[in-house]
């Protein structure tokens, strides 16, 4: 007799929202103005999408911005609304720009 498939019943949008709220609360507690995350498991934790070379900018308040490669943009935008396309060679330039803005 075949077993019934297991169906995921959690709310992905709520999961992403709750994770972002927890991180931002800790950032505010530690007086951190923003974070730029580049490791895959950190990115997946926040946007709930596994995407190679994805990066996430997280302000202490408000929505995060996910940066992904051109070839991944359509897939990621279906799962996460706040996504911007960054050309592969522009990741480091984008990081330098954000650091400069944060430094004031």
């Amino acid at each position: 007799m075949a077993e019934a498939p297991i169906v995921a019943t959690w709310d992905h949008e709520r999961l992403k929202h709750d994770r972002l709220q927890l991180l931002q609360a800790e950032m505010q507690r530690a007086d951190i103005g923003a974070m730029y995350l580049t490791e895959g498991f950190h990115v997946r934790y926040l946007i709930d999408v596994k995407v190679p070379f994805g990066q996430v900018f997280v302000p202490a308040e408000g929505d995060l911005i996910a940066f992904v490669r051109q070839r991944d943009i359509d897939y990621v935008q279906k799962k996460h609304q706040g996504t911007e396309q960054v050309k592969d060679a522009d990741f480091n330039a984008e990081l330098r720009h954000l650091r400069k803005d944060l430094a004031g």
Side-chain angles (χ1 to χ4, degrees):
M1 190 164 29
E3 293 184 27
I6 297 173
V7 179
T9 59
W10 57 81
D11 181 349
H12 289 276
E13 291 304 314
R14 180 176 171 211
L15 181 67
K16 290 189 299 186
H17 177 268
D18 290 350
R19 287 175 173 176
L20 178 60
Q21 293 301 312
L22 287 170
L23 177 60
Q24 288 176 326
E26 283 300 309
M27 289 169 62
Q28 290 170 6
R29 187 185 64 74
D31 199 27
I32 297 172
M35 295 178 76
Y36 193 79
L37 306 173
T38 59
E39 295 295 325
F41 52 89
H42 296 300
V43 173
R44 185 170 185 185
Y45 176 81
L46 290 170
I47 66 172
D48 201 32
V49 177
K50 184 177 181 179
V51 55
F53 306 106
Q55 300 176 4
V56 177
F57 176 76
V58 184
E61 295 178 351
D63 293 331
L64 61 82
I65 301 171
F67 298 95
V68 300
R69 298 178 301 180
Q70 182 177 2
R71 64 180 165 191
D72 298 322
I73 192 74
D74 291 334
Y75 168 74
V76 176
Q77 282 180 335
K78 288 179 184 177
K79 302 284 185 176
H80 182 76
Q81 300 296 326
T83 306
E84 293 188 18
Q85 177 180 323
V86 177
K87 293 183 176 142
D88 294 344
D90 291 341
F91 274 134
N92 289 330
E94 194 67 35
L95 177 57
R96 284 191 303 274
H97 176 72
L98 286 170
R99 284 182 180 161
K100 189 176 183 181
D101 285 351
L102 291 173

